[in-house]
Amino acid sequence: MASGVATVWVPVTDMDRAIAFYRDTLDLSVKSTGDDWSEIDAGGLTIGLNAREATSSRGDAGGAVITFEPDGSIDDEVSRLRDAGVDFPGGISDHPWGRIAPFADPDGNDLQFYGPPA
């Protein structure tokens, strides 16, 4: 039986760029850094940044999506990240269960913001 989630990790091709994105763009805290593995604190959940082998390539479909709840409104956070150069190709979509705004990190890992329904 699983008792919780220890870490969610995402593959990255450029560790310095990945750290800068999660730290500076998403404003998350860096727990540790290394050439092959770094850790980001996302409000108590550890996001591991795992360096890829030089021969790896992105191209597989599927995988995890990390969903963040913004401190303020989803509209304000999307606006802030757009100003920082982050693309939100689908914008913000409204659903009966809430609002989402999908985007990606510099390595193409799927991320999104989630806001509960009004």
Side-chain angles (χ1 to χ4, degrees), residues 12-34:
V12 301
T13 55
D14 182 325
M15 187 62 72
D16 292 334
R17 178 183 69 182
I19 291 168
F21 177 80
Y22 284 89
R23 179 193 61 219
D24 303 336
T25 305
L26 295 184
D27 201 25
L28 298 174
S29 299
V30 177
K31 291 173 64 173
S32 66
T33 62

Side-chain angles (χ1 to χ4, degrees), residues 7-91:
T7 301
V8 172
W9 66 267
V10 295
V12 301
T13 55
D14 182 325
M15 187 62 72
D16 292 334
R17 178 183 69 182
I19 291 168
F21 177 80
Y22 284 89
R23 179 193 61 219
D24 303 336
T25 305
L26 295 184
D27 201 25
L28 298 174
S29 299
V30 177
K31 291 173 64 173
S32 66
T33 62
D35 292 336
D36 296 324
W37 180 263
S38 297
E39 293 183 346
I40 305 295
D41 178 18
L45 173 70
T46 298
I47 298 173
L49 306 178
N50 186 24
R52 295 179 176 198
E53 297 292 324
T55 57
S56 294
S57 64
R58 178 101 170 136
D60 7 78
V65 176
I66 301 174
T67 301
F68 300 99
E69 287 188 77
D71 289 333
S73 79
I74 194 170
D75 298 281
D76 291 345
E77 194 62 14
V78 166
S79 179
R80 184 185 76 79
L81 289 185
R82 278 188 173 137
D83 290 346
V86 175
D87 184 30
F88 288 84

